[in-house]
Amino acid sequence: MKQYLDLCNRIIDRGHWIENKRTGKRCLTVINADLNYDVGNNQFPLITTRKSYWKSAIAEIIGYIRGYDNAADFRAIGTKTWDANANENEQWLNNPLRKGQDDMGRVYGVQGRSWATPDGGHLDQLRKLVDNLSQGIDDRGEILTFYNPGEFELGCLRPCMHTHTFSLLGDTLYLTSYQRSCDVPLGLNFNQVQVFTLLALVAQITGHKAGLAHHKIVNAHIYEDQLELMRDVQVKRQPYSSPQLIINPDIKSLEDLETWVTMDDFEVTGYECHDPIKYPFSV
């Protein structure tokens, strides 16, 4: 929690104003932020200075694991995070490659589970790294990436958190996640939950202990219409202790995650928080 608030204060005190063409808004911006989450000791990085909704974040990462390309599928597992980008993004709505209502195109999990190869086939990145890690193999390339510039026009949004690198030291698994752009008031806590949960899940299904998750952000920003709430409300609140994430121990394989797992298989305990803050969202 401290590192989150430290980043918020750094942006407020030392950020630079940058115009964002996509949203038409200014952002107070810093470059390079590094956060670390202690997954092994289950210090779940859920923000306590406002109420945070963790289930939607975990549902989204489950959707990525399953390779979903339709907002309706994400809604079915418990998150509406893709509704706007699939159905309200004017550039995507005018794209002749869009298949219709709720179509997201080839974004995020589609790239992770079905990366197009030059011979017309597809590569399942996630399956490769799960198989390797389950056998105790780390070839220094246990990487899951969603960033495919050659197919940006085939999807509704370039990935923000785009690459996850797993590293195995002995029987302990580590994760380094890279994010090109981050809306700190709204998106960062969502992404923190996902980085933590991804390491916890992959460690569990590959039979390893979870270590630290390292979260590297290039462009961290606060939108102009979010600044007052962050500066005058959230950073002035005293944080509570970190809660814990409980994952159903019966989840033992990638196939389990692909098929029967629901949000009922996750629980957060010991969560105390301040009142919600309704930050504006930019599409």
Side-chain angles (χ1 to χ4, degrees), residues 139-193:
D139 67 4
R140 302 180 187 174
E142 306 304 346
I143 297 171
L144 175 67
T145 185
F146 307 139
Y147 205 79
N148 188 349
E151 294 194 346
F152 282 164
E153 77 281 3
L154 303 183
C156 64
L157 184 71
R158 288 183 300 165
C160 294
M161 186 151 60
H162 56 81
T163 300
H164 304 279
T165 301
F166 292 88
S167 302
L168 190 59
L169 295 179
D171 63 352
T172 303
L173 188 65
Y174 297 82
L175 173 62
T176 305
S177 296
Y178 305 87
Q179 187 164 356
R180 65 171 180 86
S181 174
C182 185
D183 175 341
V184 171
L186 280 177
L188 180 50
N189 191 215
F190 205 84
N191 299 133
Q192 288 177 301
V193 167

Side-chain angles (χ1 to χ4, degrees), residues 64-122:
Y64 294 165
I65 287 171
R66 294 176 177 175
Y68 286 165
D69 66 356
N70 192 284
D73 291 327
F74 281 92
R75 288 196 300 273
I77 60 170
T79 182
K80 298 180 179 180
T81 52
W82 281 96
D83 287 5
N85 283 309
N87 299 306
E88 299 175 22
N89 181 327
E90 285 299 324
Q91 186 174 1
W92 179 237
L93 293 177
N94 294 324
N95 189 322
L97 299 173
R98 182 174 181 263
K99 298 175 183 176
Q101 183 77 15
D102 286 325
D103 179 43
M104 297 157 46
R106 289 186 55 79
V107 297
Y108 282 90
V110 178
Q111 300 292 349
R113 300 305 310 268
S114 185
W115 183 284
T117 56
D119 61 1
H122 291 88

Side-chain angles (χ1 to χ4, degrees), residues 8 22 31 83 85 91 105 109 114 125 142 195 221 238 246 250 275 281:
C8 294
R22 180 178 64 86
I31 300 301
D83 287 5
N85 283 309
Q91 186 174 1
S114 185
Q125 300 176 67
E142 306 304 346
V195 171
H221 51 265
Q238 287 297 313
I246 309 301
D250 291 335
D275 291 339
F281 173 67

Side-chain angles (χ1 to χ4, degrees), residues 128-147:
K128 175 262 183 185
L129 73 86
V130 167
D131 286 348
N132 275 7
L133 295 173
S134 296
Q135 300 173 62
I137 298 170
D138 177 359
D139 67 4
R140 302 180 187 174
E142 306 304 346
I143 297 171
L144 175 67
T145 185
F146 307 139
Y147 205 79

